[in-house]
Amino acid sequence: MANRTLIVYPNKDLMIQAGAQRLTLTLLDLLAERLPNGSRRERVDVALSGGSAAQPLGLVLSDPLAASIDWSRVHFWWSDERFVPVDSADRNALEARRLLLDQLIADGRLPESNIHEMAPDVRPADEIAKVTADAASTDEFVRSAADAENNALLDAAARRYEDELTRELGPEPVIDLMILGMGPDGHYASLFPASSGHHEVEVRDRLAVGVSHSPKMPPLRVSLSAPLIARSHRTWFFAAGAGKAESLAHVFAGADKGGDPEYPSSFAGGVDEFIWFSTEETVVQLV
């Protein structure tokens, strides 16, 4: 595993701008890479996330170097997704499309088939509303039935994504570049602290997992598993803001001990490169 590198910027805006330029240059470098047999790399696989980790996407096309990227050889995945209707503003994929992917498709530079979204919730809106209410019911029978329905759908969505990953990347899929953010509680992707009743970060026999009753809305999600994320060739984290300072200190301490379920981001890693991009106010508690 690569050693952790911490890069600290004066503010979030500069961190995002630097992230966009680094993404452009990294894609160019990877696409130009020659394999041991002398052939060129056929594709680059990038996993995206939401929030501040997605913001560099909006600046990519303003970089003159972006015009030289062969986007037809870049494939986009997601570290996690909110299990909501496909047109919901909560969708990480919708945000990435708005910031970058839709423009690339419109320009004819990126095939739609290179975008590998996690499945949306296709139930009618009234059915989603009813099951959501039932999942919060004080009636144990009603709540259990709603949970069973949701969990079955989430597991099916996770398994479909696993199937797509293995079909595209082989039985032991590896992502070339994993781009992540960290929440104020130390979660990453949709892998939440054990104290919130979630132990998905400890799952070792799956490529993707369903997550219900997420402590952060919306409540239903699908996430890549911790082992899949950790074996990415390159992993980048974007973490900014004073509200994340305490968690970042715990994450680094936990990572040095092999991982702490209370601070899930401590389980992340990268095989060739592992970088945390942060800001001055976020690293004040690091020793």
Side-chain angles (χ1 to χ4, degrees):
M1 301 296 287
N3 291 327
R4 180 180 66 226
T5 299
L6 175 64
I7 300 176
V8 183
Y9 294 96
N11 56 66
K12 181 179 178 179
D13 286 344
L14 186 56
M15 180 189 76
I16 296 301
Q17 292 173 33
Q21 291 190 354
R22 187 180 292 262
L23 175 57
T24 301
L25 187 56
T26 297
L27 289 175
L28 274 175
D29 287 348
L30 288 174
L31 290 168
E33 189 176 273
R34 291 291 177 173
L35 302 178
N37 63 5
S39 65
R40 73 173 186 174
R41 175 193 286 269
E42 293 183 359
R43 62 187 283 169
V44 173
D45 290 272
V46 181
L48 306 173
S49 189
S52 59
Q55 291 179 26
L57 298 177
L59 302 176
V60 166
L61 294 183
S62 63
D63 188 331
L65 288 176
S68 299
I69 294 175
D70 182 357
W71 294 100
S72 70
R73 293 160 54 206
V74 181
H75 288 250
F76 291 97
W77 303 82
W78 274 265
S79 67
D80 69 313
E81 186 56 277
R82 289 80 179 270
F83 191 68
V84 292
V86 70
D87 58 351
S88 170
D90 286 325
R91 289 272 295 179
N92 288 334
L94 197 68
E95 181 181 26
R97 284 179 176 275
R98 176 182 62 81
L99 290 171
L100 175 63
L101 305 186
D102 281 348
Q103 186 60 56
L104 292 174
I105 292 171
D107 292 344
R109 288 186 277 175
L110 178 70
E112 179 70 35
S113 59
N114 285 22
I115 300 176
H116 306 277
E117 293 189 25
M118 291 179 170
D121 191 339
V122 297
R123 292 175 291 184
D126 56 348
E127 182 179 343
I128 294 175
K130 180 182 184 304
V131 175
T132 300
D134 287 349
S137 173
T138 56
D139 186 312
E140 183 177 354
F141 178 80
V142 172
R143 187 173 65 253
S144 295
D147 284 344
E149 177 180 333
N150 284 333
N151 290 338
L153 290 172
L154 290 171
D155 187 63
R159 291 188 184 278
R160 284 199 296 274
Y161 212 56
E162 289 179 327
D163 289 344
E164 187 166 3
L165 281 161
T166 55
R167 185 170 60 250
E168 289 278 332
L169 302 177
E172 294 290 332
V174 176
I175 298 296
D176 292 305
L177 174 60
M178 181 77 61
I179 302 175
L180 299 163
M182 184 192 76
D185 60 356
H187 86 268
Y188 71 126
S190 283
L191 303 175
F192 294 97
S195 57
S196 65
H198 289 274
H199 297 275
E200 289 86 3
V201 74
E202 300 174 79
V203 173
R204 293 291 177 266
D205 60 350
R206 296 288 300 272
L207 301 175
V209 294
V211 180
S212 62
H213 294 287
S214 162
K216 180 181 179 182
M217 296 300 287
L220 305 182
R221 295 157 178 258
V222 177
S223 178
L224 297 184
S225 66
L228 176 55
I229 292 174
R231 68 169 179 257
S232 300
H233 285 297
R234 295 161 187 79
T235 298
W236 297 351
F237 263 94
F238 289 88
K244 297 181 181 181
E246 182 177 355
S247 284
L248 186 64
H250 284 291
V251 164
F252 280 18
D256 293 339
K257 298 176 182 178
D260 180 353
E262 288 304 321
Y263 295 92
S265 294
S266 62
F267 286 96
V271 175
D272 301 317
E273 182 177 76
F274 183 35
I275 303 177
W276 281 81
F277 302 99
S278 194
T279 58
E280 293 288 354
E281 62 182 358
T282 318
V283 302
V284 293
Q285 296 192 36
L286 296 178
V287 177

